[in-house]
Every structure is written in structure tokens, then in C-alpha cells.
Amino acid sequence: MPRSRSHAVHDCTDPDHHVHDAGAYVRAVEQACADRGLRLTPLRAQVLGLIADAGKPVKAYDLLDAMKEENGSSAPPTVYRALDFLLEQGFIHRLASVNAFIGCHHPNLRHSVPFLICDNCQSATELEDERICGLLDEQARALGFAPRAQTLEVHGLCARCAAA
């Protein structure tokens, strides 16, 4: 079924677009870290790989469980430090309403994006539309507010779940 496109749509808006190759994604983040003079430690790379491999938002305790299976044990503070680093650098996004993390499709670009989150299958679509973020930023500034970050999460049903 063709989609109508009244404006340019980035691949990330396509619900089928996500990190298909966790290894390639980790390598892209390693390169971004090198370009920024940062180090992607083995633990950070492992956390990132697990998030990328999930293909949908993943909760911190699910990451801990997966790391315990792979490593035998992992302390929550070390995982949270890795998540903090990945968030700070814009390599992952935190979806506050579902308390989960998802890989960012653009590890070389810091940006704010709205997400469409399916309440049925828990998929999350990174909605690449600079107009939305621009409008929010413009409205905030018009009210004398100095925005530092944006998180917009829209809940509902994805096309697959709505059609089922």
C-alpha cells in the first residue's frame, strides 16, 4: 500500500527502517567516538550492541539480564554508566514513557526526534521531521523558554497492529 508523502520523508520514518546489523552500527559508533576523541569501551560497545540487536526499545534490566547471560554478571551501576555515556553522545535515545532505550539511526548526528510508540507491539519509529522539532523550539522561545532538549513520544497503534 503506497504512502502519501506531502513532504520529504527520511528513511527513519519508515517503520521497517531500523538497525539491521548491530555490528555495523557499533562500528559506526566506534568511528563517531574516534572522530570526537572519545573511547567506546568494550562494556559500552556491548550495551550498544544489545540495544541495536533488540530492534525495539529495551529496558535497562533486560540489558542487565542479557549481559549476565553473556558475561556471568554485570553490576547495574556499570550498565547505567554505559547508558549515560551513550545517551550523552546521542548514540541512543531514552523513551521516558516506556522507560526504555533505542538505538539512534544517526550516530554521527546529534538531533532531537519525536517517536511513535506502538502500545501493542512496543515498536518505536524515529520520526525524522525537522519541522516538528523546529516548531516546538520556536514556540518555546516565543514564550521566553530556552529549550535544551526535546522528548516527544506519541503513543498509539502502528499500522500493522491497527490493521490486525
Side-chain angles (χ1 to χ4, degrees):
M1 181 171 172
R3 289 176 239 215
S4 70
R5 297 182 184 226
S6 59
H7 65 281
V9 175
H10 193 280
D11 283 345
C12 288
T13 304
D14 183 338
D16 293 323
H17 177 80
H18 63 279
V19 178
H20 293 285
D21 181 350
Y25 182 68
V26 171
R27 287 189 297 280
V29 169
E30 284 172 341
Q31 183 59 54
C33 283
D35 293 347
R36 297 178 195 176
L38 302 170
R39 184 167 174 259
L40 187 66
T41 64
L43 178 73
R44 292 170 179 169
Q46 183 181 19
V47 169
L48 182 67
L50 289 169
I51 291 170
D53 224 13
K56 66 179 187 176
V58 61
K59 296 180 182 293
Y61 278 95
D62 293 334
L63 289 170
L64 278 166
D65 289 343
M67 293 182 73
K68 284 178 187 172
E69 284 180 27
E70 288 184 21
N71 302 340
S73 71
S74 284
T78 59
V79 173
Y80 280 107
R81 280 194 297 273
L83 288 169
D84 287 344
F85 170 83
L86 296 169
L87 281 166
E88 267 178 33
Q89 298 306 316
F91 300 139
I92 62 173
H93 297 289
R94 181 174 181 273
L95 302 177
S97 65
V98 293
N99 196 25
F101 303 89
I102 191 162
C104 176
H105 300 297
H106 306 287
N108 293 313
L109 177 67
R110 292 179 188 227
H111 62 286
S112 295
V113 293
F115 281 89
L116 304 178
I117 302 170
C118 180
D119 293 325
N120 188 48
C121 71
Q122 284 71 53
S123 66
T125 301
E126 188 173 337
L127 189 62
E128 276 298 304
D129 191 334
E130 292 178 12
R131 298 172 307 155
I132 295 168
C133 295
L135 183 59
L136 285 171
D137 192 61
E138 180 184 310
Q139 290 293 312
R141 291 184 191 287
L143 294 171
F145 188 81
R148 291 187 305 210
Q150 292 181 19
T151 303
L152 177 61
E153 300 173 21
V154 180
H155 284 263
L157 294 177
C158 68
R160 285 185 194 113
C161 291

